[in-house]
Amino acid sequence: MKIIIVGAVAGGATAATRLRRIKEEALITIYERGNYVSFANCGLPYHIGEVISNRDSLILQTPDSLKSIFNFTVKVNHEVKSINPNNKTVKVKNLDTSEEFEDTYDYLLLSPGSQPIRPDIKGIELPNIFTLRNIPDMDSIISAISRGAKKAVVVGGGFIGLEMAENLHHQGLEVSMVEMLDQVLTSLDPDMASYVHQELLDNDIKLFLGEKVEGFEKNTEGQIEVLLSSGRRLTTDVVILAIGVKPEVVLAQEAGLTIGKSGGILVNEKMQTSNEFIYAVGDAVEVYHLVIGASTRIPLAGIANKQARVAANNIAGLPSTYEGALGTSIVKVFNLVCASTGANIRLLDQCQIPYKTAVIHPYQHAGYYPGASMMHIKLIYSPVEGKVLGAQVVGFDGIDKKIDVLATALINKATVYDLQNYELAYAPPFSSARDPINSLGFIAVNDITGFTPLIDTYSLKNCLNNNYFLLDVRNPEEVLAGKIPNSYNLPLHELRSRLNEIPRDKTIISYCKFGLRGYLAQRILIQNGFNAYNLSGGYDSFQAHFSQPETTIRRFSETITMEKPLTTNTFKVNACGLQCPGPLMKLKEAVSKAQVGEIIEIEASDPGFYKDVQSFATSLNLELLNLEKGKTIKASLKISDSKKEETLSTSYSNQVTIVVFSNDLDKAIAAFIIANGALAMGKNISMFFTFWGLNVLRKEGKVAVKKNIIEKMFGLMMPKGSRKLILSKMHMLGMGTGMIKWLMKSYNVDSLDTLIKSTIDNGGKLIACTMSMNLMGIKREELLEGIEEGGVATYLGDAEKGCINLFI
Ligand code: FAD
């Protein structure tokens, strides 16, 4: 049997080696137009960025190694010019000598791939306008950089464009990305793509969305002017065109093979073309999309590989079928990883396939385990039977694992009911006991069964009318950071007691930051007779969808990098998984231990820490040596000469005074959160506990002290210490109070006990009002250790020193 293969990279080389493993006696000849065989085209951008430093490691095989191991005849620099299917011959041109000859086959396998698109626009022929497909392309780009290129414009925000932007940036070039659409990475829905926009901007990539390149001109300095549709001109040294690929079908077309509607070579499930002796695989062929049930083109290496194996099997007489593809893909964009599988909403809309979506924003592993970082997962499923239709995952860590589970679910035609039951590996460094995949299953099942129906940010625009009531159940402080227009804020913990404020004649859409509290609110509402939906993904998804970054030049990154002295003590502080003010408190603790000249390196996962640490450094006169925003926030701070003493010592304007009058749990928590935040910011704090506020400081359990009958009665009626306090509202026989404690735990907010302890440990002054102690019969022995006693003068003395006085 004589087999000719056209193309010696992903599909061609894979098919050839599989054929050899089945048919030792087959005569296999591979013609390759280029100079290299079996190279890692997916690694090309990373060699440009010197992430893969060794060029040779991209070249997986050579014609000689293929000959010696597999006994192939490999002809590089040989282009197959035409096919004669009737005679089963091909005409080949030796590109080195221009000699042409004919060769015969029993079977022909085409794997010619796809070509980068070079649009026919003004100036396209200018030097330094590159595409990237193979090793010579890569070498040309590297040589342009080495000639001193300082600026690059990447046209196209797909996989290759994004990888190129990152790698050119690694090489120190100032990079602009121009994308015709309103988003990069169209495998993602716009809400999910906005995280990518942010990552690009955070890494100083200038992003021009909705801008078309209309031409190029050379300027007088010899640079290229990129002309955009808005009239803007970008001056650059190099241009990378990454606006897509077109399948190499001319050879097949001229041989009379059928070309499919999507423009790729038409093949059946055996990878056979319209001619039974000619097979085709890879980027050049049409594939059946398993979700939409139609043919399309998906130029990905994994697909080419699988198809090649199927084609080889069939040529060698082993019946084999290729069922179709999902387009599962993943790409790294600086620190962010973006992955998707199946159909996205654009494709489903085009095909008029109904769908629903659920979005969650979990940590990739247990929040309390160091290095926790947030990811965003979107699941798309059919509204009735809950069949999984697609998924998108964006985040920093563990993204590949999540997408691969979801891709496997899709391949196995799983439903959202199945996702609930997947038993996935868990230990704190890897995931959560309730894996996000299970959570997605629960949420989607709750949605389609009507237990807690969801609404997504795309449908929300149809609900901004009088028939709907948008209920924001976040705490008022969170609302300060932004809200959905015309929404009504009623914090979850007050919902039960304020149900009368919610209109019964409207459909309620509840939302919180990420979706969980919105869901809890929705359940309260539904059980009280309301018609309620929860906004999938909460305000975070709303923001991602509607607060798309501007498409003009923006510098988001405020990365500050300065030389670090080498010979100083460095303290490492891990504050990952802690919510504000947890990271600041940890930092404060480290600052108080460190000596002048020493360095503190802190890592936190709370995104707010990026800004907080800058204010912290300013207010404590610390030197911010380095600040990085990636999957976590990393900062290095130096304790500068005499600054520490200055900043940690008492200073009048640094004084904060809080009068704690109430013994309501929520008010006490608020008081101590403010106190800890203030301490962390280097302020001095005095808390004056009077009347009911004294109960916050009481020890738990019975303390043997002498009391008269009235004092005893008072003592019995009042709560003994922080654990016995209840909410000012919505206590609900302990349910509401329990829920707040649970929420604090799940959001890694310290308990009241811990907050009190850290206030004392961090130097906060807690003063028990002696007058109130006498009136209420509370004795010194009943109070926690470290509490001072004092009168109103002590309070007023401290209050006079500062400018912040609070009464809680
Ligand atoms: P190719 O691998 O392109 O091989 C086709 C070969 O055929 C070429 O070498 C060509 O010279 C030769 N040829 C064409 N016509 C003739 C002819 N008439 N005669 C002789 N020879 C001919 N995919 C992923 O899944 N993940 C990634 O991360 C990824 N990254 C990529 C990064 C880059 C920079 C590029 C360019 C592609 C990337 N891809 C990635 C896509 C992936 O490489 C392709 O999907 C895959 O290589 C397709 O395999 P193929 O065999 O169809 O074509």
Side-chain angles (χ1 to χ4, degrees):
M1 183 191 283
K2 187 167 176 209
I3 301 149
I4 289 180
I5 296 177
V6 180
V9 191
T14 306
T17 53
R18 175 70 181 163
L19 273 165
R20 175 57 75 231
R21 292 194 294 273
I22 309 172
K23 285 232 173 281
E24 181 60 19
E25 74 289 354
L27 294 174
I28 302 172
T29 303
I30 312 176
Y31 291 111
E32 167 55 54
R33 185 172 56 198
N35 206 9
Y36 296 88
V37 297
S38 193
F39 62 89
N41 36 16
C42 308
L44 302 177
Y46 296 98
H47 182 57
I48 294 171
E50 283 186 277
V51 177
I52 299 171
S53 51
N54 181 4
R55 181 180 180 277
D56 289 347
S57 62
L58 296 174
I59 300 161
L60 309 174
Q61 298 285 351
T62 62
D64 287 347
S65 68
L66 287 176
K67 173 76 186 163
S68 68
I69 302 169
F70 296 103
N71 192 25
F72 301 147
T73 304
V74 184
K75 303 270 190 194
V76 293
N77 294 326
H78 279 66
E79 182 171 8
V80 174
K81 299 297 271 184
S82 62
I83 306 165
N84 185 335
N86 298 327
N87 300 342
K88 293 170 95 177
T89 56
V90 291
K91 191 188 274 178
V92 186
K93 182 173 183 184
N94 179 336
L95 299 176
D96 290 330
T97 61
S98 295
E99 174 209 352
E100 289 197 351
F101 58 91
E102 227 173 51
D103 199 356
T104 58
Y105 62 82
D106 295 313
Y107 288 98
L108 176 66
L109 189 142
L110 303 176
S111 188
S114 53
Q115 259 184 0
I117 295 170
R118 269 187 97 89
D120 187 16
I121 51 177
K122 176 183 164 191
I124 190 79
E125 71 296 334
L126 286 173
N128 293 337
I129 300 178
F130 302 103
T131 55
L132 179 63
R133 178 183 186 181
N134 51 33
I135 293 204
D137 295 340
M138 176 187 79
D139 291 339
S140 309
I141 295 170
I142 291 173
S143 120
I145 296 171
S146 64
R147 287 195 301 272
K150 297 270 180 299
K151 290 182 174 186
V153 171
V154 175
V155 187
F159 298 106
I160 296 176
L162 290 167
E163 288 177 350
M164 281 307 300
E166 176 182 341
N167 281 289
L168 291 168
H169 177 84
H170 279 321
Q171 290 294 36
L173 274 80
E174 192 184 310
V175 182
S176 302
M177 173 170 277
V178 182
E179 166 58 57
M180 190 173 76
L181 302 174
D182 283 342
Q183 70 166 90
V184 300
L185 208 56
T186 50
S187 53
L188 299 179
D189 293 337
D191 53 318
M192 298 295 278
S194 82
Y195 300 109
V196 191
H197 299 160
Q198 194 64 61
E199 184 67 10
L200 290 167
L201 295 166
D202 283 351
N203 285 284
D204 292 334
I205 304 297
K206 292 168 189 153
L207 188 56
F208 298 86
L209 295 177
E211 283 269 30
K212 197 172 168 193
V213 172
E214 303 212 311
F216 304 97
E217 280 173 8
K218 197 169 174 180
N219 70 17
T220 46
E221 273 85 52
Q223 290 173 301
I224 303 166
E225 299 279 324
V226 185
L227 315 177
L228 304 188
S229 45
S230 62
R232 189 182 269 126
R233 298 165 80 95
L234 304 177
T235 305
T236 187
D237 302 308
V238 292
V239 173
I240 309 290
L241 285 174
I243 54 173
V245 292
K246 58 175 184 216
E248 294 231 24
V249 294
V250 175
L251 192 61
Q253 208 162 18
E254 288 178 356
L257 303 179
T258 308
I259 304 298
K261 282 195 190 119
S262 71
I265 303 169
L266 187 78
V267 287
N268 61 19
E269 71 284 359
K270 295 177 182 166
M271 304 311 299
Q272 207 170 22
T273 65
S274 51
N275 182 300
E276 63 177 310
F277 301 105
I278 305 178
Y279 288 72
V281 300
D283 286 5
V285 306
E286 272 197 352
V287 288
Y288 179 77
H289 195 293
L290 290 167
V291 174
I292 61 167
S295 290
T296 182
R297 286 187 298 108
I298 309 179
L300 288 172
I303 295 176
N305 263 267
K306 283 182 251 317
Q307 292 175 338
R309 188 178 167 93
V310 168
N313 284 350
N314 287 313
I315 291 171
L318 295 179
S320 196
T321 54
Y322 179 74
E323 304 295 339
L326 293 168
T328 307
S329 62
I330 190 160
V331 64
K332 173 175 142 9
V333 184
F334 294 91
N335 289 307
L336 202 68
V337 182
C338 318
S340 63
T341 185
N344 59 17
I345 63 169
R346 182 183 43 82
L347 189 57
L348 292 167
D349 283 339
Q350 267 169 19
C351 302
Q352 298 182 344
I353 297 173
Y355 60 86
K356 293 216 69 185
T357 65
V359 181
I360 56 173
H361 310 275
Y363 282 123
Q364 95 280 30
H365 59 51
Y368 55 82
Y369 187 83
S373 64
M374 192 170 276
M375 57 167 74
H376 314 278
I377 315 183
K378 182 173 202 170
L379 181 74
I380 310 176
Y381 46 94
S382 63
V384 180
E385 70 275 31
K387 201 172 148 212
V388 180
L389 301 174
Q392 296 159 38
V393 191
V394 175
F396 300 103
D397 250 1
I399 307 306
D400 47 349
K401 176 173 157 182
K402 297 290 173 249
I403 204 69
D404 283 347
V405 171
L406 290 163
T408 311
L410 265 163
I411 284 282
N412 288 317
K413 303 185 172 50
T415 66
V416 293
Y417 294 94
D418 299 318
L419 298 188
Q420 299 180 110
N421 300 321
Y422 281 7
E423 188 184 315
L424 303 169
Y426 160 66
F430 304 103
S431 187
S432 305
R434 175 190 283 198
D435 193 282
I437 304 280
N438 301 135
S439 297
L440 280 168
F442 298 137
I443 292 168
V445 168
N446 283 344
D447 178 29
I448 60 176
T449 55
F451 182 71
T452 39
L454 294 171
I455 197 150
D456 63 20
T457 55
Y458 292 81
S459 316
L460 197 62
K461 58 177 180 296
N462 305 324
C463 306
L464 302 176
N465 60 48
N466 239 354
N467 300 325
Y468 293 88
F469 183 79
L470 269 166
L471 179 67
D472 180 350
V473 297
R474 295 173 301 160
N475 292 337
E477 315 82 70
E478 294 174 87
V479 180
L480 295 176
K483 62 169 202 157
I484 301 179
N486 300 324
S487 56
Y488 184 77
N489 180 232
L490 203 169
L492 175 65
H493 60 272
E494 295 179 14
L495 181 59
R496 286 190 180 86
S497 57
R498 291 173 57 188
L499 283 174
N500 59 336
E501 293 173 34
I502 302 171
R504 289 198 171 264
D505 58 338
K506 295 191 179 185
T507 299
I508 315 300
I509 298 174
S510 60
Y511 76 92
C512 60
K513 179 147 174 63
F514 295 124
L516 174 64
R517 284 173 290 164
Y519 159 68
L520 297 175
Q522 185 189 14
R523 284 307 303 155
I524 295 172
L525 291 168
I526 289 174
Q527 292 182 77
N528 278 283
F530 290 89
N531 179 23
Y533 287 80
N534 183 27
L535 179 66
S536 183
Y539 185 66
D540 194 85
S541 286
F542 173 83
Q543 254 190 322
H545 188 172
F546 294 104
S547 315
Q548 294 276 340
E550 291 163 28
T551 58
T552 48
I553 303 169
R554 286 179 67 176
R555 275 180 65 92
F556 260 64
S557 165
E558 289 157 31
T559 302
I560 303 156
T561 312
M562 278 150 59
E563 286 266 309
K564 233 196 283 182
L566 294 173
T567 53
T568 37
N569 276 344
T570 301
F571 292 91
K572 291 209 184 293
V573 181
N574 186 345
C576 291
L578 296 178
Q579 299 282 328
C580 177
L584 286 179
M585 284 158 65
K586 281 235 170 204
L587 181 54
K588 170 73 195 330
E589 196 185 315
V591 169
S592 56
K593 286 182 190 155
Q595 301 301 313
V596 170
E598 290 180 329
I599 289 172
I600 297 166
E601 285 181 1
I602 182 162
E603 185 176 0
S605 51
D606 172 16
F609 187 65
Y610 184 71
K611 285 269 173 243
D612 284 353
V613 71
Q614 296 177 49
S615 326
F616 183 93
T618 312
S619 62
L620 264 76
N621 285 327
L622 300 171
E623 203 179 326
L624 188 58
L625 300 177
N626 183 40
L627 179 60
E628 283 171 33
K629 188 173 171 194
K631 27 188 174 179
T632 55
I633 316 294
K634 291 182 186 162
S636 301
L637 302 108
K638 186 179 172 191
I639 315 288
S640 46
D641 299 346
S642 71
K643 300 287 183 192
K644 187 186 161 198
E645 285 73 18
E646 219 173 88
T647 52
L648 296 180
S649 67
T650 312
S651 118
Y652 274 41
S653 59
N654 249 2
Q655 182 71 44
V656 176
T657 331
I658 304 177
V659 178
V660 183
F661 176 82
S662 163
N663 65 4
D664 291 332
L665 176 64
D666 37 358
K667 292 174 187 160
I669 292 170
F672 277 97
I673 286 185
I674 296 169
N676 276 288
L679 282 168
M681 298 291 290
K683 313 254 179 236
N684 300 301
I685 186 104
S686 289
M687 299 177 81
F688 189 71
F689 293 81
T690 182
F691 279 89
W692 315 114
L694 284 170
N695 291 317
V696 180
L697 303 180
R698 286 178 77 190
K699 287 180 186 156
E700 224 179 317
K702 204 166 181 239
V703 179
V705 280
K706 226 172 148 192
K707 291 193 177 189
N708 64 32
I709 184 82
I710 301 206
E711 286 172 344
K712 270 187 192 155
M713 273 172 61
F714 245 93
L716 279 174
M717 287 187 299
M718 294 186 302
K720 282 202 188 80
S722 61
R723 285 175 205 231
K724 296 279 186 266
L725 306 188
I726 62 172
L727 287 179
S728 58
K729 289 187 180 132
M730 245 181 60
H731 174 54
M732 298 283 294
L733 298 171
M735 264 171 58
T737 300
M739 203 188 308
I740 276 294
K741 289 182 180 172
W742 173 78
L743 277 172
M744 286 173 71
K745 200 169 169 195
S746 58
Y747 280 91
N748 272 331
V749 177
D750 285 332
S751 68
L752 181 53
D753 275 359
T754 318
L755 288 168
I756 295 174
K757 185 171 178 314
S758 65
T759 309
I760 298 172
D761 291 349
N762 285 310
K765 196 154 110 185
L766 272 56
I767 308 158
C769 168
T770 40
M771 181 273 296
S772 304
M773 284 171 71
N774 291 338
L775 274 180
M776 303 173 81
I778 294 178
K779 309 291 174 200
R780 176 72 194 84
E781 296 84 334
E782 288 182 274
L783 299 181
L784 300 171
E785 303 308 321
I787 310 294
E788 295 176 23
E789 286 176 61
V792 73
T794 318
Y795 157 66
L796 288 173
D798 283 348
E800 218 173 50
K801 294 177 193 168
C803 53
I804 302 175
N805 269 300
L806 304 171
F807 186 91
I808 293 177

